[in-house]
Amino acid sequence: LIALKAKAALRRAQGKFDDAIAAAESVIMDNPGEPWAYKEIGLSTLYLGNPEQALDWFAKAERIGPRDPGRWTWLDGRGHALILLGRDEEAVRALIHSLDANPRNAFPHAFLAAAYAFLDRPDEARAALAAYEQMRPGTRVSTFRSLAPVPLALTSRQYQQQRQRHDGDRGGGRAD
């Protein structure tokens, strides 16, 4: 089981999303009560450019593991998917829950900054960005992308098109 979990995460990081999904599905076959596997399928589905479908997988992980120590991972993924879908108010709620579940994770702050900017809430966007920068000093747009769990170039064309919303003119997304 541990080897399959490692394989799923590695394949996702390599941009081999179909292989990652297959490995996570094998984990589910052996242990249907493993929320981590549902989260893995959600993340790979997200990077394949299907954020609505990813939300279903994150919801399954939440139903199975509402008290799981790794809960923050699918809440973070949920916030990411909701931003891609333009559901920014919902994204803010998911990302705040992610931070409540794991205050040491810096990435929700970056996504929160984007969601608040899209909602035209500049003070909250600046505060979220400041929190991110405090946790990851010296981060710039170019280095932030290199810190991502999956390099953008390895994601699907559909995902990259959805991500253009992040990188567009709103809020100065190209500020390096």
Side-chain angles (χ1 to χ4, degrees), residues 92-148:
V92 166
R93 287 191 296 275
L95 294 164
I96 288 171
H97 290 310
S98 177
L99 286 169
D100 289 344
N102 181 4
R104 294 176 307 212
N105 184 19
F107 283 104
H109 292 291
F111 284 124
L112 268 173
Y116 284 135
F118 291 137
L119 290 167
D120 197 25
R121 292 162 60 179
D123 292 341
E124 290 160 298
R126 279 191 286 277
L129 191 56
Y132 179 83
E133 289 173 337
Q134 184 177 16
M135 295 175 85
R136 300 242 182 201
T139 301
R140 303 180 56 74
V141 171
S142 56
T143 56
F144 175 76
R145 288 187 184 125
S146 72
L147 296 170

Side-chain angles (χ1 to χ4, degrees), residues 21-102:
I21 290 170
E25 286 172 339
S26 294
V27 172
I28 291 169
M29 286 180 63
D30 288 345
N31 184 2
E34 176 58 69
W36 179 94
Y38 296 90
K39 176 267 305 180
E40 273 304 312
I41 294 174
L43 289 175
S44 286
T45 301
L46 178 70
Y47 294 126
L48 284 169
N50 299 307
E52 283 284 358
Q53 189 179 354
L55 288 175
D56 293 340
W57 288 103
F58 298 140
K60 289 175 186 176
E62 181 66 11
R63 278 193 300 275
I64 292 167
R67 290 180 179 73
D68 191 275
R71 179 176 183 247
W72 62 274
T73 59
W74 56 82
L75 292 172
D76 194 37
R78 177 174 168 72
H80 185 166
L82 289 166
I83 289 173
L84 292 176
L85 293 166
R87 293 164 54 184
D88 301 316
E89 285 287 352
E90 291 175 79
V92 166
R93 287 191 296 275
L95 294 164
I96 288 171
H97 290 310
S98 177
L99 286 169
D100 289 344
N102 181 4

